[in-house]
Amino acid sequence: MSTYRVAQVTAPNGAFELVDREVPQPGPGEVRIAVEACGICHSDALFVSGALPGVTFPEVPGHEMAGHIEELGHDVWSRGWKVGDRVAVGWFGGSCGHCKPCRQGDFIVCANLKVPGWAYDGGFGEKVIAPADALARIPDGLSAADAGPMACAGVTTFNGLRRSSARPGDLVAVLGLGGLGHLGVQYAVAMGFETVGIARGAEKADFAKQLGAHHYVDSTSGTPVAEALQSLGGAKAVLATAGNSEAITATVDGLAPRGELVVIGADTAPMGINPAQLLMAARVVRGHPSGTSQDVEDTMAFSALHGIRPMTETVPLDRADEAYQKMLAGQARFRMVLTNG
């Protein structure tokens, strides 16, 4: 019997343990991926803790995976995939194809979205069975350890910016310089925006400039963030990557007329925004989900073209629990990535 290893938790918030499983065969429309790398996203905590409905244990999380196709299920060859193709799978792990959003072509808000680690075992392992519509082709020159985080953190920031109302030359601010934000600043600069990095502490100014930001706003300086943005002319868009409702709220009055707040940082606390802040200046507030497999492909191609890479720390799969705890404690700079081989 051929086996492979996964890192799983058997109870909510349990420790990760390595176990052997029998190698599965892909079904119709599926592929088996040999996972080479998988990023650890803060959203994995939703699965490990059992916080989402339908999560079952043992739980194998991981939705920032990259590797190569090892075996094709029935009819997948007709979709242009072959054994050996380098692929990534992210938060978008497949769609149902029959709900109303899918029928309208808006697959990322599929009512039955197949998120790895939720709908099926994720990438904390050596192999994964995934639907073919979840696959994004990895371009040459992008390593698996870099491609994995692009399938969630990368596509969320890249897509959030390119689908915003901002155009090259506009002032765009990125709130937070962590796992999402450090990519968001790089993308904003490469897209031709006048880019502002916003974070806590004067010491992060140099880092923001290293990422390419034209301006830096220290949210702890005593000058309100909105005032600082208005002194620069007002932001056409703010990409809010920080998962802090208070910090997100503080940017709203820094938007220019018809400016847009794009929220991608998750927090359960309500935002303190009142209608008057939006009405007179015709401002827009919207949430932005990740992106489809084609969006992930676009993200990776753009990243390869412009030399944009996530900042990662790689650790072997057998240290999954250690790496997960480091992420949970906020000590990762900026993505912990599990690797095989």
Side-chain angles (χ1 to χ4, degrees):
M1 180 181 69
S2 181
T3 62
Y4 71 108
R5 300 184 306 162
V6 298
Q8 66 177 29
V9 292
T10 57
N13 295 316
F16 281 92
E17 59 181 17
L18 281 181
V19 298
D20 290 328
R21 294 187 179 179
E22 185 176 354
V23 174
Q25 297 302 307
E30 297 178 337
V31 301
R32 187 172 71 232
I33 300 170
V35 179
E36 298 166 22
C38 186
I40 302 177
C41 176
H42 202 277
S43 297
D44 287 321
L46 296 173
F47 309 124
V48 174
S49 66
L52 295 174
V55 172
T56 59
F57 293 88
E59 159 68 20
V60 181
H63 56 269
E64 291 188 345
M65 67 187 92
H68 62 272
I69 296 176
E70 192 172 65
E71 188 168 346
L72 303 176
H74 176 67
D75 201 34
V76 174
W77 64 271
S78 66
R79 307 185 195 187
W81 298 105
K82 63 182 185 300
V83 171
D85 283 347
R86 301 178 66 230
V87 295
V89 177
W91 181 267
F92 178 83
S95 56
C96 71
H98 58 76
C99 69
K100 186 172 182 177
C102 283
R103 293 173 66 190
Q104 293 173 329
D106 200 358
F107 301 105
I108 189 58
V109 290
C110 169
N112 306 292
L113 189 67
K114 302 171 185 175
V115 180
W118 194 358
Y120 53 87
D121 284 346
F124 283 27
E126 295 173 331
K127 302 182 190 300
V128 161
I129 299 291
D133 67 326
L135 304 179
R137 199 177 301 276
I138 300 174
D140 294 339
L142 202 63
S143 71
D146 288 337
M150 294 293 183
C152 180
V155 68
T156 303
T157 51
F158 174 79
N159 229 20
L161 287 167
R162 73 167 175 170
R163 297 185 184 279
S164 76
S165 58
R167 296 296 177 262
D170 287 341
L171 189 77
V172 169
V174 178
L175 173 65
L177 296 178
L180 293 168
H182 86 286
L183 287 168
V185 169
Q186 294 179 76
Y187 288 134
V189 173
M191 289 177 184
F193 301 134
E194 183 180 353
T195 305
V196 185
I198 307 172
R200 295 176 57 85
E203 70 281 357
K204 294 180 181 175
D206 287 343
F207 179 57
K209 296 298 176 64
Q210 289 170 20
L211 295 172
H214 303 97
H215 311 280
Y216 177 70
V217 172
D218 173 11
S219 62
T220 66
S221 68
T223 300
V225 169
E227 183 179 322
L229 290 177
Q230 288 296 345
S231 73
L232 294 170
K236 183 64 175 179
V238 171
L239 184 71
T241 74
N244 183 300
S245 293
E246 184 177 353
I248 295 171
T249 300
T251 69
V252 174
D253 287 332
L255 291 169
R258 299 195 182 278
E260 184 178 25
L261 173 61
V262 182
V263 180
I264 62 175
D267 190 3
T268 56
M271 294 189 295
I273 300 172
N274 65 66
Q277 290 176 279
L278 307 178
L279 289 171
M280 297 301 292
R283 292 167 175 147
V284 174
V285 179
R286 68 178 178 88
H288 172 76
S290 177
T292 65
S293 52
Q294 182 60 57
D295 293 325
V296 174
E297 234 175 78
D298 293 346
T299 300
M300 292 190 292
F302 187 89
S303 300
L305 181 65
H306 291 277
I308 296 171
R309 301 290 186 273
M311 296 181 180
T312 61
E313 180 180 343
T314 58
V315 296
L317 180 64
D318 57 13
R319 291 171 52 195
D321 192 69
E322 172 190 339
Y324 176 79
Q325 295 302 330
K326 188 170 183 178
M327 177 281 297
L328 212 56
Q331 297 171 349
R333 288 291 181 266
F334 284 98
R335 260 302 188 264
M336 303 298 298
V337 178
L338 300 176
T339 58
N340 293 306

